[in-house]
Amino acid sequence: MAFDQLSVVLAGLAILIAVGYTAQLTVKSDVGVDSLPWVGLKTGVFGGLRTRIGSLGTGVLAILEAGYRKYSASEISFIIPRFDKSMVILPGSQVKWIVDQADSVLSAPQAQRDSLLTDYVLLDPAMARNPIQEVIIRRHLTRSLGSLIEEIEEELAVGVTHYWGTDTDNWTDVGVCDTMAKVVARASNRIFVGPSLCRNDDYLGPAGSFANDVALSGTLLKLVPAIFQPLVAWIFVLPNRYHLYKASKYLIPFVKQRIQDLKDAERSGIPREDLNDYTTWHIQEVEMDAVENTPQKIALRIMTVNFAAIHTSTFTATNILFDIYSSPLADIYVKEIREEVEQALLESGGKWDKNTIAKLIKTDSAVRESLRISTFMTTGMDRVVVDPHGATMSNGLHLPQGTRLGTSTYSIHHDDSIYDNAMTYDAFRFSRPREAAIAAGKVRSEGEEKMQCSVKKEDLAKLLEAKNLATVTTSDTFLSFGHGRHACPGRFFAATEMKLLVAYIMMNYDVKPLAVRPPNTYIAGSIIPPMKDIVSVRRRKS
């Protein structure tokens, strides 16, 4: 409660400072491109100020959609106002151009730092400027994922059972977002810190609160003019420091013990297979780095990873459940996913591994479709022009240094010219082409040997093309994880976690379908899933 009240005070303070500073500024001073149209500008008395304040509200999506329909369809870039710095929105056809630019021209890390104000909210600029944790996730977590699947599934099962209960006779109302946040925190930390801490609520509470307050403090701090941010940031991040302090009571002793365990294992020559988690990989990665190789620094890195994992995966899980169970076809989706999971487990002897998950084509599609239709951000592919000479697009448009740019992810994902009936959740939208390719391959493989050889190549090509519809595969029309070399490095873990979660819930619980999907909330550039809505659940009888 104390921090909720503090947040209100900080928000008021930030708005007062911002109003005083921006009242005399014109919005058009943000972008040095005179040839592009603006969408969403207000005119009249204090037009610039009203425009900036309006960019914090719920009307941003309508502005973005209007610009997309009017200009992007004609391959014209346009500008939308933001409170801190306005943004050039490029047509979807320019995603490839964005991806192709060197980091010395367009910077994704700089855009992330500007957007989240990571220098402040993560409590140490090195967290984002030297993102060791991202390297470890990309290099070690993705490579080790196959060996961790059983642990992830076990923790998801324990978590869902704990928060959803075991009553097989009566319906129980549960808060979707609240319970998913706790389940995700447990499962993620099973991989980050292992079983000794992942079920410790005294540690998980601060870890989850840190994840939430990083996003909140960054949003509030952005209301303060950049020139004042270094002076007042320490106030805004007080909750973050408090959560780190609380979690560190557990993390620092844990890290110290892990360092000692690894040293003992090395001396004995007996490897410890039970220490296969993020903490071990991180300790080994920074072993020769005197600055990074401290329990305090490693603890903060673990908290930073928690922010990246818990925040987005909670939103994803919440959206998936609401999307599936509010669909008019919910009964069909549940039935077919259950049959798919049952068959996959039957073929694997009841064992969860990479091959078992690879067979969950419909489950994967349901996850990907929810990421498409219920994306977290209205815009994506955010970049900042960092080349002193600016950047010139393929159509000749020149963007000067400092320009913030991106695409309208929401509009692309909801464009009927890209996705049939784009506003409707179709759980098996992405699995049907994959199933058709697999079926075609099976039928044709029964032909003559000569014919079979030539057709197999054709079927292989079709199958490879169909596999591009998997959740982890990004494209210029599926941008939930970004696209190109800066696509989310944790998407393989997140996708595996979500498929296992859906599989466990479907196999072990009945959920009452919803007549209407609770609406998401659109604030500024963020899309927030229903935070307080509930579903009725009942454990299935064995």
Side-chain angles (χ1 to χ4, degrees):
M1 178 62 71
F3 282 124
D4 289 341
Q5 294 169 341
L6 177 61
S7 296
V8 173
V9 173
L10 292 177
L13 173 64
I15 291 174
L16 286 174
I17 295 174
V19 167
Y21 183 69
T22 61
Q24 303 303 318
L25 294 180
T26 62
V27 175
K28 287 193 174 184
S29 65
D30 284 352
V31 181
V33 184
D34 296 330
S35 60
L36 295 181
W38 284 74
V39 180
L41 285 179
K42 297 183 185 299
T43 58
V45 179
F46 294 116
L49 179 59
R50 290 189 292 112
T51 297
R52 291 186 187 279
I53 293 176
S55 70
L56 300 172
T58 58
V60 173
L61 179 62
I63 293 172
L64 189 64
E65 279 278 82
Y68 181 84
R69 305 300 172 192
K70 183 175 182 179
Y71 296 112
S72 292
S74 302
E75 296 297 319
I76 299 172
S77 300
F78 62 96
I79 307 172
I80 58 170
R82 296 285 200 192
F83 193 90
D84 54 341
K85 185 175 179 61
S86 299
M87 186 175 188
V88 177
I89 301 297
L90 275 54
S93 59
Q94 294 297 324
V95 170
K96 184 179 185 305
W97 176 81
I98 296 175
V99 169
D100 288 344
Q101 301 311 298
D103 291 346
S104 58
V105 178
L106 300 184
S107 175
Q110 183 63 53
Q112 184 184 57
R113 291 195 294 270
D114 291 348
S115 176
L116 296 175
L117 296 180
T118 52
D119 283 355
Y120 306 114
V121 300
L122 294 179
L123 308 180
D124 184 340
M127 294 300 108
R129 292 182 180 272
N130 181 25
I132 297 171
Q133 64 276 2
E134 291 184 14
V135 175
I136 295 169
I137 288 170
R138 184 178 288 108
R139 183 182 300 164
H140 296 284
L141 177 55
T142 302
R143 185 177 61 193
S144 303
L145 196 53
S147 65
L148 299 170
I149 286 173
E150 286 189 292
E151 292 183 49
I152 299 170
E153 198 278 334
E154 177 188 8
E155 208 55 51
L156 289 169
V158 171
V160 174
T161 301
H162 180 78
Y163 296 111
W164 280 23
T166 57
D167 193 333
T168 58
D169 296 317
N170 303 297
W171 291 96
T172 302
D173 290 343
V174 297
V176 178
C177 192
D178 179 59
T179 55
M180 287 301 100
K182 294 173 181 176
V183 169
V184 165
R186 281 187 173 210
S188 299
N189 276 279
R190 178 66 178 266
I191 305 308
F192 300 158
V193 294
S196 65
L197 279 183
C198 75
R199 298 177 191 176
N200 184 331
D201 288 338
D202 291 335
Y203 158 69
L204 288 179
S209 296
F210 180 86
N212 290 331
D213 281 342
V214 163
L216 177 60
S217 59
T219 299
L220 294 175
L221 187 55
K222 283 174 69 175
L223 301 180
V224 177
I227 192 173
F228 297 146
Q229 286 171 0
L231 302 176
V232 300
W234 66 273
I235 303 175
F236 288 76
V237 301
L238 282 175
N240 310 22
R241 291 197 179 280
Y242 176 73
H243 301 316
L244 174 63
Y245 165 75
K246 296 284 285 186
S248 292
K249 289 183 177 181
Y250 301 92
L251 276 179
I252 289 178
F254 170 77
V255 171
K256 287 180 178 178
Q257 184 61 52
R258 178 59 60 85
I259 292 172
Q260 187 60 49
D261 289 342
L262 291 171
K263 287 180 179 178
D264 292 344
E266 185 178 3
R267 278 195 295 266
S268 68
I270 303 174
R272 292 280 302 274
E273 294 183 3
D274 59 313
L275 304 183
N276 183 37
D277 57 27
Y278 175 88
T279 303
T280 290
W281 306 327
H282 195 108
I283 291 170
Q284 293 171 338
E285 184 75 23
V286 301
E287 184 177 10
M288 306 305 294
D289 188 328
V291 174
E292 289 287 342
N293 189 19
T294 68
Q296 292 77 13
K297 200 82 161 185
I298 295 171
L300 181 53
R301 293 282 184 183
I302 292 172
M303 293 290 278
T304 300
V305 172
N306 265 291
F307 160 66
I310 294 176
H311 195 67
T312 54
S313 291
T314 296
F315 281 13
T316 300
T318 301
N319 281 325
I320 290 170
L321 294 179
F322 281 128
D323 287 336
I324 291 176
Y325 287 104
S326 65
S327 169
L329 301 176
D331 289 342
I332 295 175
Y333 294 156
V334 171
K335 176 178 178 293
E336 293 195 22
I337 289 175
R338 280 177 180 165
E339 290 174 352
E340 178 180 72
V341 175
E342 287 173 353
Q343 182 61 32
L345 287 172
L346 179 65
E347 293 174 3
S348 68
K351 178 181 174 63
W352 280 109
D353 56 25
K354 288 179 69 173
N355 292 330
T356 310
I357 290 180
K359 295 172 183 176
L360 303 185
I361 295 174
K362 291 181 178 179
T363 310
D364 183 274
S365 177
V367 172
R368 182 179 172 96
E369 173 70 347
S370 188
L371 284 165
R372 178 194 71 83
I373 201 168
S374 301
T375 183
F376 315 135
M377 300 295 294
T378 53
T379 61
M381 299 300 293
D382 290 19
R383 300 290 190 270
V384 173
V385 178
V386 293
D387 191 321
H389 302 292
T392 302
M393 294 171 52
S394 54
N395 61 6
L397 177 66
H398 183 75
L399 304 172
Q401 184 183 25
T403 301
R404 180 182 177 189
L405 61 90
T407 61
S408 177
T409 296
Y410 179 93
S411 302
I412 291 171
H413 284 189
H414 294 78
D415 189 334
D416 283 326
S417 70
I418 298 173
Y419 295 101
D420 291 338
N421 203 10
M423 298 299 293
T424 300
Y425 177 80
D426 177 1
F428 302 148
R429 179 188 301 273
F430 299 107
S431 60
R432 283 190 289 270
R434 298 175 70 184
E435 291 177 288
I438 292 171
K442 286 180 179 177
V443 171
R444 294 182 182 183
S445 66
E446 296 172 0
E448 317 179 356
E449 187 172 344
K450 257 186 166 182
M451 181 92 164
Q452 189 179 12
C453 289
S454 60
V455 172
K456 273 186 175 179
K457 293 179 182 178
E458 176 188 333
D459 289 338
L460 178 60
K462 288 185 177 179
L463 188 56
L464 289 173
E465 181 180 352
K467 281 187 175 181
N468 287 334
L469 300 175
T471 293
V472 296
T473 305
T474 65
S475 72
D476 55 1
T477 56
F478 182 75
L479 300 166
S480 294
F481 292 116
H483 186 41
R485 63 186 177 281
H486 290 294
C488 173
R491 68 188 185 279
F492 299 94
F493 170 64
T496 297
E497 184 180 40
M498 290 301 104
K499 284 183 280 188
L500 287 169
L501 176 63
V502 170
Y504 184 80
I505 288 175
M506 297 279 184
M507 296 299 293
N508 293 280
Y509 287 88
D510 290 320
V511 179
K512 279 188 180 180
L514 302 169
V516 178
R517 188 200 193 281
N520 288 352
T521 302
Y522 302 89
I523 301 178
S526 301
I527 305 175
I528 302 170
M531 303 294 283
K532 302 297 183 182
D533 290 84
I534 63 173
V535 293
S536 296
V537 304
R538 182 177 62 193
R539 184 83 176 191
R540 298 181 73 204
K541 294 180 180 180
S542 303

